[in-house]
Amino acid sequence: MRNAAAVRHSILLALALLFTPLAYAAETEGAAAPVDWESWQAGNEVSNTASLQRGARNFFNYCAGCHSLKYLRYSRLASDLHITTAQLRANLMPASASPADYVKASLAAADGVAWFGKQPPDLSLAARSRGPDWISRFLRTFYADPSTPTRSNNLQLPNPAMPAVLSDLEGVKQAVFRNVETVVDGKQTTEKQFDHFVTVVPGQLDAAQYEAFVRDTVNFLDYAGEPAQVDRRSIGVWVVLFLLVFTWFAWLLKKEYWKDVH
Ligand code: HEC
């Protein structure tokens, strides 16, 4: 009898444990959690050539005015991205440049300092130093802020010298913060924490299109950080295929040798 009670007890306990996470999830769902922008990822694929081509077009239209890619030559870019020299000249390269040149910014360094307070950095290695996710979050978390010289601000890089150059496409967002009470060393302080964005002026692209625009742009910067990775990946496929075929031959050979031994 005591045994039966104990069994019933443990079954109840197991059921309770089983349903606890559900009950908890249901409870937190009601109160809208703050937007977790820190977990946003770039989601780009360097093996996707069409995406790289779109990313290159985005970069030359919206970034190359201020940012250079000083380790990347136009000719290298064209051959890696399967762009013809004619397309390169017509769409990406300034008329004064030659395909053997490195990608330069149109903006003179001195003007950069005069206009933005600092020279826009070269972006050759940005994807390697900051990581694609960081750049993606940077491009997606600009918001209006009249208190700064650029009248905008950013969650990933607070008070950036870079203006919100993509607001025509994305629209203008306002950031909504909420006050969170925290106790540090027994002292109560109020901290402003980001909650969510509100679009106040819509852009030319909707949210999904803008996300795709950023994904392609980041993809191109990821490629630019290490152009060889495009080749390396396609070589990798051939190496694996070669090894498979080689294994098959080795197996046939082994069969041939051992045929007479048995
Ligand atoms: C009007 C000039 C201008 C344009 C156009 C521009 N930027 Fe910037 N960018 C800047 C300046 C200035 C900084 C320096 C920001 C700082 O450090 O406060 C910067 C910083 C950055 C950084 C941070 C680099 C780092 O590691 O700190 C990234 C990434 C970046 N820009 C990407 C882009 C991309 C991508 C585009 C095109 C969509 C773009 N920028 C267009 C001026 C510009």
Side-chain angles (χ1 to χ4, degrees):
M1 204 53 208
R2 243 202 2 235
N3 258 351
V7 167
R8 200 168 342 119
H9 189 85
S10 43
I11 289 178
L12 280 180
L13 189 68
L15 280 179
L17 283 177
L18 195 67
F19 286 110
T20 311
L22 280 183
Y24 178 72
E27 202 173 292
T28 48
E29 212 170 314
V35 172
D36 185 16
W37 64 274
E38 277 159 310
S39 69
W40 290 352
Q41 290 178 336
N44 64 304
E45 269 178 50
V46 179
S47 56
N48 184 341
T49 306
S51 161
L52 289 181
Q53 290 173 343
R54 291 191 299 268
R57 181 197 60 198
N58 300 348
F59 178 85
F60 285 99
N61 283 336
Y62 291 95
C63 321
C66 293
H67 293 285
S68 57
L69 295 171
K70 65 180 175 188
Y71 299 120
L72 186 63
R73 289 180 201 277
Y74 291 103
S75 52
R76 169 86 204 235
L77 181 165
S79 79
D80 285 345
L81 270 53
H82 309 294
I83 298 172
T84 64
T85 312
Q87 287 171 321
L88 185 70
R89 283 188 195 283
N91 301 320
L92 304 183
M93 222 171 60
S96 58
S98 105
D101 287 348
Y102 292 102
V103 177
K104 281 198 276 297
S106 341
L107 180 79
D111 289 341
V113 176
W115 295 345
F116 309 112
K118 60 166 80 168
Q119 194 192 340
D122 181 82
L123 292 186
S124 306
L125 300 178
R128 300 186 72 185
S129 60
R130 298 292 204 178
D133 294 341
W134 190 98
I135 302 177
S136 171
R137 294 196 280 260
F138 177 55
L139 296 178
R140 290 162 67 193
T141 61
F142 274 95
Y143 61 91
D145 181 353
S147 72
T148 71
T150 60
R151 305 188 68 74
S152 63
N153 213 322
N154 190 276
L155 293 180
Q156 182 68 78
L157 185 69
N159 300 317
M162 174 168 146
V165 296
L166 298 176
S167 56
D168 278 357
L169 299 178
E170 188 195 16
V172 177
K173 304 195 296 287
Q174 239 158 29
V176 178
F177 292 90
R178 64 170 165 192
N179 291 331
V180 177
E181 310 278 335
T182 46
V183 180
V184 183
D185 297 335
K187 255 193 290 174
Q188 190 161 17
T189 53
T190 311
E191 217 177 72
K192 223 173 76 167
Q193 263 181 21
F194 171 74
D195 195 78
H196 63 280
F197 287 123
V198 178
T199 299
V200 285
V201 183
Q204 294 160 23
L205 305 180
D206 65 27
Q209 289 170 328
Y210 183 70
E211 223 173 276
F213 178 96
V214 169
R215 186 163 52 241
D216 293 336
T217 312
V218 171
N219 202 21
F220 175 69
L221 290 176
D222 194 351
Y223 151 78
E226 200 191 347
Q229 64 182 312
V230 173
D231 288 342
R232 200 176 56 219
R233 275 164 213 236
S234 53
I235 291 172
V237 172
W238 288 110
V239 169
V240 170
L241 278 179
F242 169 78
L243 286 175
L244 284 177
V245 171
F246 181 80
T247 309
W248 182 60
F249 272 118
W251 178 74
L252 284 183
L253 203 62
K254 177 209 161 241
K255 252 180 51 164
E256 179 64 29
Y257 282 161
W258 284 80
K259 199 170 59 189
D260 305 328
V261 178
H262 295 303

